[in-house]
Amino acid sequence: MSTNIGSNTSLLFSQLIPTNAETMEDEKQRQQPTASRKKHTVESSSDEDSDVEENFILLTERRGRGGGAEEEGEQHHEGEEEEELSGGDDDDDEEESDSGEEEEVEEGSDAGEEESDGGEEEKDGDSEASVSDDDDDEDPEEAGGSSEIQTREDMKTELSNMSFEDILKLQNKVGTKVYNEVAYGGDKSQKSCKKKKRLNKNRPMEISAKRPALFLRQVVSVRKPMFRDPRFDDLSGEYKPEIFEKTFKFINDIKHREKEVVQKQLHKTKNNHKRTEKLQFLLKRMENQERARTSREQQRERELHFKRLQRERANQGARPFFLKNSEKKKLQLAEKYEELKKSGKLENFLSKKRKRNAGKDRRKLPKQAA
Amino acid sequence: MSSSFFIKKKENPTFDKKGKNTQAPKRKVRDRVEPKRRQSNQETEYDETPQEKKLRLAKLYLDQLKEEEENKAEEDSFETDLIAGRLQEEVLEQKGKLQRLIAKDLMPPDASEIRVLRGHKLPVTCLVVTSDDKYIFSAAKDCSIIKWDVESGKKLHTIHGGRKGTEDRHVGHTAHILCMSVSSDGKYLATGDMNKLIMIWEAETCKHLYKFTGHKGPVSGLSFRKGTHDLYSASHDRSIKVWNVDENAYVETLFGHQDAITGLDSLSRERCVTAGGRDRSVRVWKIAEESQLVFHGHEGSIDCIQLINEEHMITGADDGSVSLWSVNKKKPLSTVKQAHGCHGDAGLEQPHWVASVAALQNSDTVASGASGCSHNSQVQLWKCGQNYRALEPLFNVTVPGFVNSMKFSSSGQFLVAGVGQEHRLGRWWRIKEAKNGIYIIPLKRKPPNPEEAKLSE
């Protein structure tokens, strides 16, 4: 025996297809047009079913207002059920519309008693809905409770009027658990507090099993990669040139090799003037950088040497002496002269220096008006 | 304790009410005797907490036991002892303390003692063993179900599969059967397939009884609650549905998983445990209280799960790791990584996926089967250490092919493995040397050593 739902109840569900994200107000709005539509159709077992369903939904709405998410869970649960069926009921819809029209034609001839009963019940349902609206503004729980009981009684009378086959279908659709609650009463007042405390943090988490997973859910956590700039990061520490140069000494070799590559390229290109200019510029730049680096290193070496001398003097007992800046420069100059003498460019250097000094001195002389 | 606890009353079965008060604190020990009966009087009020319900059902059960024993026993003192004895055994079983510590006595079988039942033309996807160890039901990718007799190895019954598109006419499945379960009294067989259907068959005659629709995705896990006819089903639509097969009714749906569910298992408690696939969680569902316990700990997708006893379970993942869990701890008690080795080129080695796990109930023996290496594919037997704190390998049995499903017999005499040339969920690769069939691996025990017996005395 399959759990397919007959065509009778499908009309309602094709109209009421609440999704999980739907709010209660949407559901209410949708019920009102369906209620008005139903007043035209003849009372048959289908309408009794639909009334039951309407009442059921109203019932769960009221529960939703009174309690917490568990009722929403039930709604979602119902929503799930109805969604499930709406897919299967699409074929039945066409049949439904035809039968609906036929029923409308037969409306006048049929006994009005059932209709009026149905109408009264629907009106009751609507009036209860409106009553509950007003009540809920003031006293949500109490009014909800009383109207709840009224709708449950209505539902019980509806269920008693339904044929067994329809009851079975309803039960199959909605689930025996929910059906039993509605038909035989349930303790809606004793809803659980959702936060279940676990004894210690090693125990598993306990959460409700009635809430479906959201559509936009995260199954696997994706971590965004954080980028660090070592220049502005406190983790990198302060800049110390000696330590920096020591750790990155290998770059000097790489730079040297690159300079050789540029030199070779320069030798090769003879036609393209722009390119040769660029290459020359680049080569000069690299050479300058290298020269600056070596001079810095020599400076550091000299200072270290001087410090070592001082330490030795201090160890031996004589007081350490400190050089003035001008004296340091003199020492540097002396060293430079030595080097130039070795390479033989001393004359060149000295003549250039004399020319520059002469030019400067001439500027400093008082200007003679000619 | 594999005897059936179905004691049907002569009155009509009525709806079983489930109370909804979950404000209750943790269950106390005295309420732990979980009754197996599920019928209740109509006059009792339906506003009761799960604890009260358990108390009421426990009292009913005690009354029934008394009646039974009255019929059997003659003396009064004898009667009370029997009841007490039975209750004690059940409590121990529930708590997981009734242990069969047989792992150290197991010996690897010879290759000649392993029987292969061949009959399926396509890879076997799942199998179950009835609780009296007489029959094996197996399903394959050709959507057929075969009932085998264990002793003779013969096919007793075949339910053929239909072609895709013949769902209306054909009595049987028309899509791959992913999961099966047989009730503990051997009455019903439930099978779930990729067409979102659950079919109920009568196990004796293999007659089709019911078809349950309602799932929105392939049904990937099925399990009967032990001692009852409650069926739990899990599917790729991330929901778990509870069905009552006696009344052919759907009871309720439970939600919580974030991704498709890959396996489900249950014992005699009113709860089931599921493996969550890519969301890497294992969840224990308390059905009466409508809540779930969430466990995390695997790194890869969890593909298979089995309960060892009411408190412990074992899972296998697709990163080759096998984990042992306890209900009281949110992380696994013990994990074995790359349990079946790696394959692939040097430097690009991938661990073999663990395609199935099996556990001998209330004992310390578990088995895991890997997917697809042709030359060293094995079924590995493990011993759970003291208090389930460790997993030690015992021995392995070479079984070429994808071990798609494994089950221990309830007596622990043999292990049944359903093997195929392809993985049960798809065709990632195919092992041509493997044979599609069912391997029955006998588990031999070491004969008790007389010296050891003297020492123990």
Side-chain angles (χ1 to χ4, degrees):
Chain A
M1 178 173 145
S2 66
T3 56
N4 297 322
I5 306 307
S7 58
N8 288 338
T9 52
S10 63
L11 179 61
L12 173 71
F13 298 106
S14 57
Q15 291 162 356
L16 298 168
I17 305 175
T19 57
N20 286 347
E22 216 179 51
T23 60
M24 286 182 281
E25 289 128 24
D26 289 346
E27 222 170 296
K28 282 220 80 179
Q29 284 167 8
R30 211 175 283 160
Q31 278 170 20
Q32 278 152 13
T34 57
S36 56
R37 222 178 296 174
K38 258 181 265 132
K39 279 171 187 162
H40 297 298
T41 57
V42 171
E43 273 302 310
S44 59
S45 59
S46 65
D47 284 330
E48 290 180 16
D49 265 355
S50 51
D51 283 340
V52 164
E53 282 316 305
E54 203 183 30
N55 289 336
F56 189 71
I57 288 155
L58 286 172
L59 185 75
T60 54
E61 272 187 286
R62 232 152 272 127
R63 279 188 225 144
R65 274 196 216 111
E70 290 231 352
E71 286 120 4
E72 280 176 15
E74 272 195 37
Q75 265 189 334
H76 295 156
H77 161 76
E78 286 163 61
E80 285 266 333
E81 303 312 316
E82 289 170 352
E83 269 186 12
E84 287 170 19
L85 300 161
S86 62
D89 291 339
D90 285 335
D91 298 327
D92 291 334
D93 274 353
E94 291 181 342
E95 289 172 58
E96 255 311 300
S97 54
D98 290 340
S99 61
E101 283 168 0
E102 286 174 293
E103 281 169 2
E104 276 177 282
V105 167
E106 292 171 326
E107 194 183 321
S109 54
D110 269 341
E113 285 180 353
E114 287 175 86
E115 211 178 339
S116 58
D117 280 346
E120 276 175 11
E121 274 149 25
E122 282 170 357
K123 280 174 203 159
D124 278 346
D126 290 338
S127 64
E128 274 164 358
S130 56
V131 161
S132 69
D133 271 325
D134 299 332
D135 284 348
D136 281 340
D137 292 336
E138 302 154 7
D139 244 344
E141 286 184 15
E142 285 178 4
S146 59
S147 51
E148 212 179 290
I149 294 166
Q150 285 169 359
T151 47
R152 195 177 295 134
E153 281 173 5
D154 284 339
M155 292 187 66
K156 284 187 181 171
T157 50
E158 284 303 321
L159 285 175
S160 61
N161 290 337
M162 276 164 64
S163 71
F164 189 61
E165 191 194 352
D166 293 330
I167 288 181
L168 273 183
K169 281 185 198 159
L170 179 67
Q171 199 178 342
N172 265 332
K173 184 181 39 155
V174 158
T176 48
K177 192 162 171 178
V178 176
Y179 173 80
N180 288 341
E181 271 173 42
V182 167
Y184 301 109
D187 41 351
K188 295 306 147 218
S189 51
Q190 296 165 326
K191 275 300 166 192
S192 69
C193 56
K194 255 150 326 112
K195 296 231 172 118
K196 286 152 196 163
K197 277 265 170 185
R198 50 182 179 171
L199 292 170
N200 60 33
K201 67 176 177 73
N202 289 328
R203 296 239 168 184
M205 246 189 355
E206 186 163 356
I207 50 183
S208 156
K210 280 301 192 178
R211 297 159 136 239
L214 303 169
F215 180 72
L216 299 167
R217 65 187 176 275
Q218 200 186 47
V219 179
V220 189
S221 64
V222 182
R223 291 257 169 99
K224 231 175 66 170
M226 290 298 301
F227 299 111
R228 274 182 59 221
D229 193 337
R231 293 176 293 174
F232 307 111
D233 200 359
D234 288 333
L235 270 179
S236 320
E238 297 290 324
Y239 170 68
K240 289 188 185 110
E242 317 93 51
I243 300 176
F244 180 83
E245 303 229 335
K246 210 189 268 183
T247 52
F248 295 105
K249 215 188 286 187
F250 61 93
I251 294 184
N252 302 330
D253 301 330
I254 300 173
K255 280 190 178 170
H256 193 78
R257 262 179 270 149
E258 284 181 358
K259 199 178 82 165
E260 283 169 12
V261 166
V262 172
Q263 273 173 344
K264 276 188 202 165
Q265 292 243 331
L266 189 59
H267 282 309
K268 279 187 198 169
T269 56
K270 308 230 169 114
N271 334 337
N272 199 346
H273 284 286
K274 269 190 185 172
R275 196 167 145 77
T276 46
E277 270 178 34
K278 275 189 180 172
L279 279 171
Q280 277 169 352
F281 182 71
L282 188 59
L283 187 62
K284 201 157 230 167
R285 192 159 178 255
M286 291 172 107
E287 283 172 352
N288 287 345
Q289 278 179 350
E290 219 181 307
R291 232 182 299 132
R293 193 175 46 80
T294 47
S295 67
R296 258 185 285 135
E297 271 182 39
Q298 281 170 1
Q299 265 268 1
R300 226 169 286 141
E301 259 193 60
R302 254 178 263 135
E303 285 188 10
L304 273 175
H305 179 71
F306 190 66
K307 277 192 183 156
R308 247 178 267 142
L309 279 174
Q310 284 193 3
R311 225 176 288 142
E312 275 180 29
R313 286 173 62 90
N315 285 345
Q316 283 170 11
R319 282 169 118 244
F321 65 86
F322 299 99
L323 283 174
K324 278 199 289 188
N325 277 347
S326 52
E327 290 186 6
K328 278 186 192 167
K329 277 196 185 156
K330 275 188 202 165
L331 278 175
Q332 266 182 323
L333 204 57
E335 270 188 45
K336 206 169 185 186
Y337 276 162
E338 292 275 341
E339 268 187 51
L340 286 173
K341 229 192 251 181
K342 270 190 225 164
S343 57
K345 295 184 184 167
L346 188 61
E347 274 300 318
N348 212 355
F349 176 69
L350 279 176
S351 63
K352 274 195 197 157
K353 197 114 197 223
R354 264 181 229 128
K355 252 198 243 171
R356 225 168 66 197
N357 284 345
K360 276 192 186 166
D361 290 338
R362 212 178 300 134
R363 259 185 276 135
K364 283 189 185 155
L365 284 174
K367 304 252 165 120
Q368 290 171 347
Chain B
M1 296 309 278
S2 61
S3 62
S4 149
F5 287 109
F6 281 123
I7 312 161
K8 289 234 179 255
K9 268 196 184 159
K10 272 147 200 169
E11 338 172 331
N12 292 330
T14 56
F15 295 114
D16 199 15
K17 272 310 300 160
K18 293 180 198 190
K20 268 216 161 189
N21 185 8
T22 46
Q23 269 168 354
K26 284 223 166 222
R27 291 188 298 178
K28 296 187 186 144
V29 180
R30 62 178 164 83
D31 286 340
R32 283 290 231 108
V33 181
E34 186 101 0
K36 313 284 193 269
R37 297 266 297 105
R38 301 202 67 242
Q39 296 165 359
S40 58
N41 288 327
Q42 225 168 2
E43 283 89 31
T44 54
E45 53 170 319
Y46 293 95
D47 297 353
E48 56 177 7
T49 68
Q51 284 69 20
E52 285 168 13
K53 175 190 162 203
K54 279 171 198 143
L55 196 58
R56 174 175 54 82
L57 291 171
K59 284 181 185 159
L60 268 176
Y61 183 57
L62 273 175
D63 293 335
Q64 275 200 342
L65 273 186
K66 268 195 192 147
E67 279 176 32
E68 258 186 20
E69 301 301 330
E70 267 172 21
N71 297 338
K72 287 184 203 168
E74 289 166 28
E75 295 165 15
D76 285 338
S77 54
F78 199 49
E79 190 184 300
T80 47
D81 281 344
L82 277 176
I83 295 178
R86 257 179 94 167
L87 281 174
Q88 214 174 25
E89 263 191 61
E90 274 176 39
V91 168
L92 284 177
E93 197 183 321
Q94 291 249 336
K95 287 209 171 181
K97 290 194 178 136
L98 186 70
Q99 294 266 12
R100 298 183 268 178
L101 297 169
I102 59 169
K104 54 186 188 304
D105 296 332
L106 287 178
M107 286 200 306
D110 300 328
S112 55
E113 291 171 350
I114 302 176
R115 284 193 288 158
V116 185
L117 303 178
R118 304 195 56 191
H120 283 294
K121 295 209 179 96
L122 290 184
V124 174
T125 50
C126 56
L127 56 81
V128 279
V129 186
T130 54
S131 47
D132 52 5
D133 294 347
K134 281 195 192 149
Y135 307 110
I136 299 176
F137 289 92
S138 67
K141 280 197 180 180
D142 58 356
C143 320
S144 64
I145 304 170
I146 298 184
K147 179 177 178 182
W148 307 82
D149 181 58
V150 171
E151 284 193 36
S152 59
K154 283 196 193 150
K155 289 193 223 182
L156 293 177
H157 207 96
T158 312
I159 304 169
H160 291 284
R163 296 243 302 262
K164 197 165 86 165
T166 59
E167 284 92 11
D168 318 329
R169 310 187 282 277
H170 183 77
V171 175
H173 285 282
T174 54
H176 291 173
I177 298 170
L178 292 183
C179 49
M180 284 173 35
S181 179
V182 67
S183 62
S184 53
D185 58 352
K187 190 165 168 201
Y188 293 116
L189 170 74
T191 55
D193 69 353
M194 285 191 121
N195 262 341
K196 313 167 199 172
L197 296 175
I198 301 171
M199 305 252 197
I200 310 286
W201 313 82
E202 200 180 293
E204 290 294 322
T205 57
C206 292
K207 191 176 75 122
H208 175 67
L209 291 174
Y210 311 128
K211 196 191 318 188
F212 287 147
T213 57
H215 270 299
K216 292 197 240 173
V219 180
S220 54
L222 275 179
S223 182
F224 275 96
R225 185 181 162 200
K226 224 163 118 177
T228 66
H229 286 156
D230 283 343
L231 179 65
Y232 304 128
S233 70
S235 124
H236 284 190
D237 66 357
R238 310 177 299 274
S239 70
I240 297 187
K241 292 193 191 264
V242 181
W243 313 82
N244 188 328
V245 178
D246 278 333
E247 297 160 19
N248 180 24
Y250 153 75
V251 178
E252 59 170 344
T253 310
L254 301 166
F255 303 97
H257 270 293
Q258 306 288 312
D259 198 31
I261 305 175
T262 51
L264 180 140
D265 196 20
S266 66
L267 281 179
S268 46
R269 275 201 216 166
E270 199 186 358
R271 42 167 83 172
C272 61
V273 65
T274 56
R278 277 281 151 214
D279 74 356
R280 292 165 297 157
S281 70
V282 171
R283 290 175 198 238
V284 170
W285 303 84
K286 296 182 179 172
I287 307 226
E289 288 129 22
E290 293 189 346
S291 70
Q292 52 181 302
L293 300 172
V294 186
F295 303 80
H296 290 280
H298 265 293
E299 281 166 6
S301 160
I302 307 180
D303 281 340
C304 40
I305 184 165
Q306 282 268 303
L307 281 168
I308 308 172
N309 55 29
E310 297 281 4
E311 302 276 313
H312 298 94
M313 49 246 188
I314 185 150
T315 57
D318 75 346
D319 63 350
S321 56
V322 173
S323 285
L324 187 52
W325 305 75
S326 162
V327 169
N328 295 324
K329 210 168 152 220
K330 67 180 178 188
K331 296 213 157 148
L333 294 174
S334 150
T335 312
V336 176
K337 298 212 173 152
Q338 297 189 354
H340 287 264
C342 301
H343 65 281
D345 309 321
L348 282 176
E349 273 150 18
Q350 297 287 317
H352 283 118
W353 310 337
V354 178
S356 61
V357 285
L360 182 54
Q361 284 195 358
N362 295 325
S363 79
D364 55 350
T365 316
V366 290
S368 65
S371 70
C373 5
S374 52
H375 41 279
N376 56 357
S377 159
Q378 290 154 351
V379 166
Q380 175 81 265
L381 271 280
W382 307 85
K383 172 179 159 70
C384 305
Q386 183 75 325
N387 277 344
Y388 295 97
R389 292 241 157 235
L391 268 180
E392 295 139 21
L394 279 176
F395 57 86
N396 47 35
V397 180
T398 307
V399 167
F402 285 83
V403 183
N404 282 328
S405 177
M406 285 201 300
K407 286 270 160 41
F408 275 95
S409 70
S410 39
S411 56
Q413 295 295 329
F414 55 88
L415 167 67
V416 187
V419 173
Q421 289 178 334
E422 298 162 3
H423 195 268
R424 65 189 169 100
L425 296 173
R427 188 184 295 149
W428 283 275
W429 64 94
R430 201 165 151 247
I431 299 174
K432 286 191 190 149
E433 300 89 25
K435 311 260 186 272
N436 297 320
I438 299 171
Y439 283 66
I440 302 183
I441 303 165
L443 299 171
K444 294 190 293 189
R445 315 281 172 91
K446 281 184 204 146
N449 219 340
E451 290 177 2
E452 283 178 6
K454 279 184 193 165
L455 279 173
S456 64
E457 282 164 30

